[in-house]
Amino acid sequence: MFSSDRNIETIGQLVEVLKHYIGLQSEYVKLDVIEKIVRLTTALIMAAVLFLLVIITMIYFSFAVAYALAPLIGSGWAFCIVAVFYLLILILFILFRKRWVERPLVRFLASLLMEK
């Protein structure tokens, strides 16, 4: 009963369908990985461009503030005040780095990579 030609043919068809399914699944996994890599690369490039633009803007803004303060308190002190302001921002950034950088970054990457 199990060795009839019809059963063997059905098992053969099942094996072929299974091979085709496994091939499609592997292609799906490859495309999914490629999509996630592209999304991650795009996010990194956008972050780098945004970071560069913010840095350039902050440099020009810092000089503008220092030159605006120069007539009031002197040129050297104006630049020192701007430098102290950035030093305070750096200290705050170091103190709150987990809350401001690490946690949002982990959430972003997890949502990006775990999304179907």
Side-chain angles (χ1 to χ4, degrees), residues 42-82:
T42 302
L44 289 173
I45 290 172
M46 291 297 292
V49 168
L50 180 65
F51 180 74
L52 261 168
L53 290 175
V54 166
I55 292 298
I56 291 169
T57 303
M58 291 305 294
I59 288 171
Y60 280 109
F61 180 71
S62 298
F63 278 111
V65 169
Y67 282 120
L69 289 175
L72 301 173
I73 57 174
S75 179
W77 288 109
F79 282 96
C80 286
I81 289 173
V82 171

mmCIF file of all heavy atoms in Angstrom, residues 42-82:
data_model
loop_
_atom_site.group_PDB
_atom_site.id
_atom_site.type_symbol
_atom_site.label_atom_id
_atom_site.label_comp_id
_atom_site.label_asym_id
_atom_site.label_seq_id
_atom_site.Cartn_x
_atom_site.Cartn_y
_atom_site.Cartn_z
ATOM 1 N N THR A 42 21.661 53.794 5.805
ATOM 2 C CA THR A 42 21.008 55.076 5.533
ATOM 3 C C THR A 42 20.873 55.897 6.808
ATOM 4 O O THR A 42 21.147 57.099 6.812
ATOM 5 C CB THR A 42 19.620 54.838 4.909
ATOM 6 O OG1 THR A 42 19.774 54.071 3.717
ATOM 7 C CG2 THR A 42 18.936 56.143 4.581
ATOM 8 N N ALA A 43 20.472 55.246 7.885
ATOM 9 C CA ALA A 43 20.337 55.962 9.157
ATOM 10 C C ALA A 43 21.686 56.489 9.638
ATOM 11 O O ALA A 43 21.777 57.622 10.132
ATOM 12 C CB ALA A 43 19.717 55.051 10.203
ATOM 13 N N LEU A 44 22.737 55.699 9.482
ATOM 14 C CA LEU A 44 24.073 56.141 9.899
ATOM 15 C C LEU A 44 24.565 57.319 9.060
ATOM 16 O O LEU A 44 25.138 58.274 9.592
ATOM 17 C CB LEU A 44 25.065 54.986 9.819
ATOM 18 C CG LEU A 44 24.901 53.887 10.862
ATOM 19 C CD1 LEU A 44 25.846 52.726 10.563
ATOM 20 C CD2 LEU A 44 25.148 54.423 12.252
ATOM 21 N N ILE A 45 24.329 57.256 7.763
ATOM 22 C CA ILE A 45 24.752 58.358 6.890
ATOM 23 C C ILE A 45 23.977 59.625 7.215
ATOM 24 O O ILE A 45 24.548 60.723 7.289
ATOM 25 C CB ILE A 45 24.608 57.961 5.410
ATOM 26 C CG1 ILE A 45 25.655 56.909 5.055
ATOM 27 C CG2 ILE A 45 24.731 59.174 4.495
ATOM 28 C CD1 ILE A 45 25.484 56.295 3.686
ATOM 29 N N MET A 46 22.668 59.491 7.428
ATOM 30 C CA MET A 46 21.856 60.658 7.777
ATOM 31 C C MET A 46 22.314 61.250 9.110
ATOM 32 O O MET A 46 22.392 62.468 9.260
ATOM 33 C CB MET A 46 20.377 60.276 7.844
ATOM 34 C CG MET A 46 19.768 59.939 6.500
ATOM 35 S SD MET A 46 19.788 61.323 5.361
ATOM 36 C CE MET A 46 18.639 62.412 6.159
ATOM 37 N N ALA A 47 22.634 60.399 10.077
ATOM 38 C CA ALA A 47 23.108 60.886 11.373
ATOM 39 C C ALA A 47 24.450 61.593 11.224
ATOM 40 O O ALA A 47 24.680 62.637 11.855
ATOM 41 C CB ALA A 47 23.217 59.734 12.360
ATOM 42 N N ALA A 48 25.328 61.055 10.392
ATOM 43 C CA ALA A 48 26.634 61.678 10.185
ATOM 44 C C ALA A 48 26.490 63.050 9.520
ATOM 45 O O ALA A 48 27.144 64.019 9.925
ATOM 46 C CB ALA A 48 27.523 60.773 9.345
ATOM 47 N N VAL A 49 25.634 63.142 8.516
ATOM 48 C CA VAL A 49 25.417 64.424 7.834
ATOM 49 C C VAL A 49 24.797 65.436 8.798
ATOM 50 O O VAL A 49 25.231 66.594 8.869
ATOM 51 C CB VAL A 49 24.526 64.226 6.589
ATOM 52 C CG1 VAL A 49 24.052 65.547 6.026
ATOM 53 C CG2 VAL A 49 25.286 63.444 5.518
ATOM 54 N N LEU A 50 23.809 64.994 9.554
ATOM 55 C CA LEU A 50 23.175 65.878 10.531
ATOM 56 C C LEU A 50 24.186 66.335 11.580
ATOM 57 O O LEU A 50 24.242 67.517 11.938
ATOM 58 C CB LEU A 50 22.001 65.171 11.206
ATOM 59 C CG LEU A 50 21.234 65.967 12.241
ATOM 60 C CD1 LEU A 50 20.543 67.151 11.580
ATOM 61 C CD2 LEU A 50 20.228 65.090 12.946
ATOM 62 N N PHE A 51 25.009 65.420 12.063
ATOM 63 C CA PHE A 51 26.029 65.752 13.048
ATOM 64 C C PHE A 51 27.000 66.791 12.492
ATOM 65 O O PHE A 51 27.336 67.775 13.170
ATOM 66 C CB PHE A 51 26.774 64.478 13.469
ATOM 67 C CG PHE A 51 27.852 64.707 14.474
ATOM 68 C CD1 PHE A 51 27.540 64.968 15.797
ATOM 69 C CD2 PHE A 51 29.186 64.653 14.093
ATOM 70 C CE1 PHE A 51 28.545 65.182 16.724
ATOM 71 C CE2 PHE A 51 30.194 64.866 15.020
ATOM 72 C CZ PHE A 51 29.867 65.130 16.338
ATOM 73 N N LEU A 52 27.455 66.605 11.262
ATOM 74 C CA LEU A 52 28.369 67.564 10.643
ATOM 75 C C LEU A 52 27.734 68.940 10.513
ATOM 76 O O LEU A 52 28.373 69.959 10.811
ATOM 77 C CB LEU A 52 28.784 67.060 9.256
ATOM 78 C CG LEU A 52 30.128 66.370 9.205
ATOM 79 C CD1 LEU A 52 30.310 65.664 7.883
ATOM 80 C CD2 LEU A 52 31.232 67.351 9.432
ATOM 81 N N LEU A 53 26.481 68.979 10.072
ATOM 82 C CA LEU A 53 25.799 70.263 9.919
ATOM 83 C C LEU A 53 25.609 70.959 11.267
ATOM 84 O O LEU A 53 25.771 72.178 11.370
ATOM 85 C CB LEU A 53 24.460 70.068 9.217
ATOM 86 C CG LEU A 53 24.546 69.684 7.743
ATOM 87 C CD1 LEU A 53 23.166 69.389 7.194
ATOM 88 C CD2 LEU A 53 25.221 70.781 6.938
ATOM 89 N N VAL A 54 25.293 70.195 12.297
ATOM 90 C CA VAL A 54 25.133 70.780 13.628
ATOM 91 C C VAL A 54 26.472 71.311 14.138
ATOM 92 O O VAL A 54 26.538 72.406 14.705
ATOM 93 C CB VAL A 54 24.529 69.748 14.611
ATOM 94 C CG1 VAL A 54 24.657 70.205 16.046
ATOM 95 C CG2 VAL A 54 23.075 69.495 14.272
ATOM 96 N N ILE A 55 27.539 70.569 13.922
ATOM 97 C CA ILE A 55 28.866 71.020 14.359
ATOM 98 C C ILE A 55 29.263 72.310 13.653
ATOM 99 O O ILE A 55 29.724 73.269 14.294
ATOM 100 C CB ILE A 55 29.925 69.911 14.123
ATOM 101 C CG1 ILE A 55 29.674 68.731 15.039
ATOM 102 C CG2 ILE A 55 31.340 70.452 14.303
ATOM 103 C CD1 ILE A 55 29.783 69.052 16.512
ATOM 104 N N ILE A 56 29.066 72.373 12.354
ATOM 105 C CA ILE A 56 29.413 73.583 11.596
ATOM 106 C C ILE A 56 28.573 74.762 12.077
ATOM 107 O O ILE A 56 29.086 75.869 12.277
ATOM 108 C CB ILE A 56 29.239 73.344 10.081
ATOM 109 C CG1 ILE A 56 30.302 72.365 9.594
ATOM 110 C CG2 ILE A 56 29.316 74.648 9.301
ATOM 111 C CD1 ILE A 56 30.074 71.860 8.185
ATOM 112 N N THR A 57 27.281 74.527 12.296
ATOM 113 C CA THR A 57 26.401 75.582 12.786
ATOM 114 C C THR A 57 26.846 76.058 14.162
ATOM 115 O O THR A 57 26.874 77.268 14.439
ATOM 116 C CB THR A 57 24.946 75.073 12.846
ATOM 117 O OG1 THR A 57 24.564 74.623 11.554
ATOM 118 C CG2 THR A 57 24.006 76.159 13.308
ATOM 119 N N MET A 58 27.201 75.131 15.036
ATOM 120 C CA MET A 58 27.625 75.506 16.383
ATOM 121 C C MET A 58 28.937 76.293 16.359
ATOM 122 O O MET A 58 29.125 77.207 17.176
ATOM 123 C CB MET A 58 27.768 74.256 17.260
ATOM 124 C CG MET A 58 26.447 73.592 17.588
ATOM 125 S SD MET A 58 25.242 74.682 18.349
ATOM 126 C CE MET A 58 26.033 75.033 19.887
ATOM 127 N N ILE A 59 29.825 75.970 15.450
ATOM 128 C CA ILE A 59 31.083 76.725 15.353
ATOM 129 C C ILE A 59 30.795 78.176 14.980
ATOM 130 O O ILE A 59 31.284 79.112 15.624
ATOM 131 C CB ILE A 59 32.041 76.056 14.339
ATOM 132 C CG1 ILE A 59 32.592 74.760 14.926
ATOM 133 C CG2 ILE A 59 33.187 77.012 13.969
ATOM 134 C CD1 ILE A 59 33.371 73.920 13.933
ATOM 135 N N TYR A 60 29.973 78.367 13.944
ATOM 136 C CA TYR A 60 29.642 79.733 13.534
ATOM 137 C C TYR A 60 28.862 80.467 14.619
ATOM 138 O O TYR A 60 29.097 81.648 14.886
ATOM 139 C CB TYR A 60 28.852 79.729 12.226
ATOM 140 C CG TYR A 60 29.739 79.569 11.023
ATOM 141 C CD1 TYR A 60 29.753 78.396 10.293
ATOM 142 C CD2 TYR A 60 30.576 80.600 10.609
ATOM 143 C CE1 TYR A 60 30.567 78.238 9.186
ATOM 144 C CE2 TYR A 60 31.396 80.460 9.504
ATOM 145 C CZ TYR A 60 31.388 79.278 8.802
ATOM 146 O OH TYR A 60 32.197 79.143 7.709
ATOM 147 N N PHE A 61 27.944 79.769 15.266
ATOM 148 C CA PHE A 61 27.168 80.375 16.341
ATOM 149 C C PHE A 61 28.074 80.765 17.513
ATOM 150 O O PHE A 61 27.912 81.833 18.109
ATOM 151 C CB PHE A 61 26.070 79.408 16.801
ATOM 152 C CG PHE A 61 25.216 79.944 17.906
ATOM 153 C CD1 PHE A 61 24.311 80.974 17.667
ATOM 154 C CD2 PHE A 61 25.306 79.429 19.188
ATOM 155 C CE1 PHE A 61 23.530 81.474 18.682
ATOM 156 C CE2 PHE A 61 24.524 79.916 20.216
ATOM 157 C CZ PHE A 61 23.629 80.950 19.967
ATOM 158 N N SER A 62 29.035 79.925 17.828
ATOM 159 C CA SER A 62 29.964 80.220 18.917
ATOM 160 C C SER A 62 30.782 81.469 18.634
ATOM 161 O O SER A 62 30.960 82.327 19.517
ATOM 162 C CB SER A 62 30.899 79.039 19.141
ATOM 163 O OG SER A 62 30.184 77.909 19.510
ATOM 164 N N PHE A 63 31.274 81.582 17.418
ATOM 165 C CA PHE A 63 32.023 82.788 17.062
ATOM 166 C C PHE A 63 31.129 84.021 17.111
ATOM 167 O O PHE A 63 31.558 85.089 17.564
ATOM 168 C CB PHE A 63 32.668 82.651 15.679
ATOM 169 C CG PHE A 63 33.965 81.898 15.704
ATOM 170 C CD1 PHE A 63 34.064 80.647 15.131
ATOM 171 C CD2 PHE A 63 35.081 82.451 16.308
ATOM 172 C CE1 PHE A 63 35.260 79.955 15.160
ATOM 173 C CE2 PHE A 63 36.290 81.772 16.338
ATOM 174 C CZ PHE A 63 36.374 80.502 15.767
ATOM 175 N N ALA A 64 29.893 83.880 16.660
ATOM 176 C CA ALA A 64 28.975 85.020 16.686
ATOM 177 C C ALA A 64 28.705 85.468 18.116
ATOM 178 O O ALA A 64 28.710 86.673 18.420
ATOM 179 C CB ALA A 64 27.663 84.648 15.987
ATOM 180 N N VAL A 65 28.488 84.527 19.018
ATOM 181 C CA VAL A 65 28.242 84.871 20.417
ATOM 182 C C VAL A 65 29.487 85.501 21.034
ATOM 183 O O VAL A 65 29.401 86.507 21.756
ATOM 184 C CB VAL A 65 27.792 83.615 21.216
ATOM 185 C CG1 VAL A 65 27.782 83.889 22.702
ATOM 186 C CG2 VAL A 65 26.418 83.163 20.751
ATOM 187 N N ALA A 66 30.641 84.927 20.766
ATOM 188 C CA ALA A 66 31.876 85.476 21.330
ATOM 189 C C ALA A 66 32.131 86.896 20.823
ATOM 190 O O ALA A 66 32.504 87.783 21.606
ATOM 191 C CB ALA A 66 33.052 84.571 20.992
ATOM 192 N N TYR A 67 31.922 87.129 19.543
ATOM 193 C CA TYR A 67 32.136 88.474 19.009
ATOM 194 C C TYR A 67 31.060 89.438 19.495
ATOM 195 O O TYR A 67 31.322 90.641 19.639
ATOM 196 C CB TYR A 67 32.193 88.452 17.480
ATOM 197 C CG TYR A 67 33.518 87.958 16.957
ATOM 198 C CD1 TYR A 67 33.600 86.832 16.156
ATOM 199 C CD2 TYR A 67 34.699 88.627 17.274
ATOM 200 C CE1 TYR A 67 34.818 86.369 15.688
ATOM 201 C CE2 TYR A 67 35.924 88.173 16.804
ATOM 202 C CZ TYR A 67 35.970 87.046 16.022
ATOM 203 O OH TYR A 67 37.185 86.599 15.559
ATOM 204 N N ALA A 68 29.865 88.952 19.789
ATOM 205 C CA ALA A 68 28.827 89.825 20.332
ATOM 206 C C ALA A 68 29.139 90.203 21.781
ATOM 207 O O ALA A 68 28.835 91.318 22.216
ATOM 208 C CB ALA A 68 27.460 89.142 20.247
ATOM 209 N N LEU A 69 29.721 89.279 22.534
ATOM 210 C CA LEU A 69 30.080 89.564 23.925
ATOM 211 C C LEU A 69 31.374 90.365 24.056
ATOM 212 O O LEU A 69 31.625 90.972 25.095
ATOM 213 C CB LEU A 69 30.223 88.258 24.703
ATOM 214 C CG LEU A 69 28.941 87.483 25.000
ATOM 215 C CD1 LEU A 69 29.273 86.158 25.672
ATOM 216 C CD2 LEU A 69 28.014 88.303 25.874
ATOM 217 N N ALA A 70 32.213 90.345 23.041
ATOM 218 C CA ALA A 70 33.536 90.985 23.106
ATOM 219 C C ALA A 70 33.475 92.467 23.487
ATOM 220 O O ALA A 70 34.254 92.894 24.359
ATOM 221 C CB ALA A 70 34.270 90.792 21.799
ATOM 222 N N PRO A 71 32.601 93.291 22.918
ATOM 223 C CA PRO A 71 32.580 94.702 23.328
ATOM 224 C C PRO A 71 32.152 94.897 24.789
ATOM 225 O O PRO A 71 32.536 95.869 25.433
ATOM 226 C CB PRO A 71 31.562 95.353 22.398
ATOM 227 C CG PRO A 71 31.409 94.431 21.258
ATOM 228 C CD PRO A 71 31.725 93.065 21.777
ATOM 229 N N LEU A 72 31.383 93.963 25.317
ATOM 230 C CA LEU A 72 30.882 94.110 26.680
ATOM 231 C C LEU A 72 31.906 93.706 27.736
ATOM 232 O O LEU A 72 32.034 94.371 28.774
ATOM 233 C CB LEU A 72 29.609 93.283 26.863
ATOM 234 C CG LEU A 72 28.439 93.610 25.933
ATOM 235 C CD1 LEU A 72 27.310 92.606 26.120
ATOM 236 C CD2 LEU A 72 27.953 95.019 26.208
ATOM 237 N N ILE A 73 32.621 92.599 27.513
ATOM 238 C CA ILE A 73 33.516 92.082 28.558
ATOM 239 C C ILE A 73 34.944 91.851 28.085
ATOM 240 O O ILE A 73 35.772 91.385 28.854
ATOM 241 C CB ILE A 73 32.955 90.769 29.141
ATOM 242 C CG1 ILE A 73 32.749 89.737 28.054
ATOM 243 C CG2 ILE A 73 31.698 91.001 29.905
ATOM 244 C CD1 ILE A 73 32.334 88.386 28.582
ATOM 245 N N GLY A 74 35.238 92.117 26.874
ATOM 246 C CA GLY A 74 36.589 91.903 26.365
ATOM 247 C C GLY A 74 36.648 90.646 25.514
ATOM 248 O O GLY A 74 35.943 89.679 25.763
ATOM 249 N N SER A 75 37.501 90.682 24.527
ATOM 250 C CA SER A 75 37.568 89.602 23.537
ATOM 251 C C SER A 75 37.964 88.267 24.154
ATOM 252 O O SER A 75 37.345 87.247 23.888
ATOM 253 C CB SER A 75 38.555 89.998 22.441
ATOM 254 O OG SER A 75 38.656 88.976 21.489
ATOM 255 N N GLY A 76 39.005 88.268 24.967
ATOM 256 C CA GLY A 76 39.479 87.024 25.561
ATOM 257 C C GLY A 76 38.445 86.387 26.482
ATOM 258 O O GLY A 76 38.234 85.173 26.458
ATOM 259 N N TRP A 77 37.803 87.209 27.309
ATOM 260 C CA TRP A 77 36.800 86.683 28.236
ATOM 261 C C TRP A 77 35.560 86.175 27.505
ATOM 262 O O TRP A 77 34.927 85.212 27.949
ATOM 263 C CB TRP A 77 36.409 87.740 29.264
ATOM 264 C CG TRP A 77 37.507 87.980 30.249
ATOM 265 C CD1 TRP A 77 38.287 89.085 30.347
ATOM 266 C CD2 TRP A 77 37.966 87.066 31.234
ATOM 267 N NE1 TRP A 77 39.207 88.936 31.340
ATOM 268 C CE2 TRP A 77 39.036 87.688 31.919
ATOM 269 C CE3 TRP A 77 37.601 85.789 31.619
ATOM 270 C CZ2 TRP A 77 39.718 87.086 32.947
ATOM 271 C CZ3 TRP A 77 38.286 85.187 32.667
ATOM 272 C CH2 TRP A 77 39.325 85.826 33.311
ATOM 273 N N ALA A 78 35.214 86.785 26.419
ATOM 274 C CA ALA A 78 34.046 86.336 25.656
ATOM 275 C C ALA A 78 34.267 84.918 25.139
ATOM 276 O O ALA A 78 33.377 84.056 25.238
ATOM 277 C CB ALA A 78 33.759 87.288 24.502
ATOM 278 N N PHE A 79 35.456 84.672 24.618
ATOM 279 C CA PHE A 79 35.758 83.326 24.130
ATOM 280 C C PHE A 79 35.840 82.326 25.287
ATOM 281 O O PHE A 79 35.457 81.164 25.145
ATOM 282 C CB PHE A 79 37.051 83.324 23.304
ATOM 283 C CG PHE A 79 36.860 83.850 21.912
ATOM 284 C CD1 PHE A 79 37.139 85.176 21.613
ATOM 285 C CD2 PHE A 79 36.381 83.032 20.901
ATOM 286 C CE1 PHE A 79 36.946 85.669 20.339
ATOM 287 C CE2 PHE A 79 36.183 83.514 19.618
ATOM 288 C CZ PHE A 79 36.465 84.834 19.335
ATOM 289 N N CYS A 80 36.304 82.779 26.446
ATOM 290 C CA CYS A 80 36.341 81.896 27.624
ATOM 291 C C CYS A 80 34.932 81.538 28.079
ATOM 292 O O CYS A 80 34.683 80.387 28.473
ATOM 293 C CB CYS A 80 37.106 82.574 28.762
ATOM 294 S SG CYS A 80 38.876 82.624 28.501
ATOM 295 N N ILE A 81 34.033 82.483 28.054
ATOM 296 C CA ILE A 81 32.639 82.204 28.454
ATOM 297 C C ILE A 81 32.013 81.179 27.518
ATOM 298 O O ILE A 81 31.342 80.238 27.957
ATOM 299 C CB ILE A 81 31.822 83.513 28.501
ATOM 300 C CG1 ILE A 81 32.276 84.350 29.698
ATOM 301 C CG2 ILE A 81 30.328 83.229 28.571
ATOM 302 C CD1 ILE A 81 31.662 85.722 29.755
ATOM 303 N N VAL A 82 32.237 81.322 26.226
ATOM 304 C CA VAL A 82 31.708 80.352 25.265
ATOM 305 C C VAL A 82 32.326 78.979 25.516
ATOM 306 O O VAL A 82 31.634 77.951 25.500
ATOM 307 C CB VAL A 82 31.953 80.827 23.812
ATOM 308 C CG1 VAL A 82 31.608 79.749 22.817
ATOM 309 C CG2 VAL A 82 31.156 82.090 23.531
#
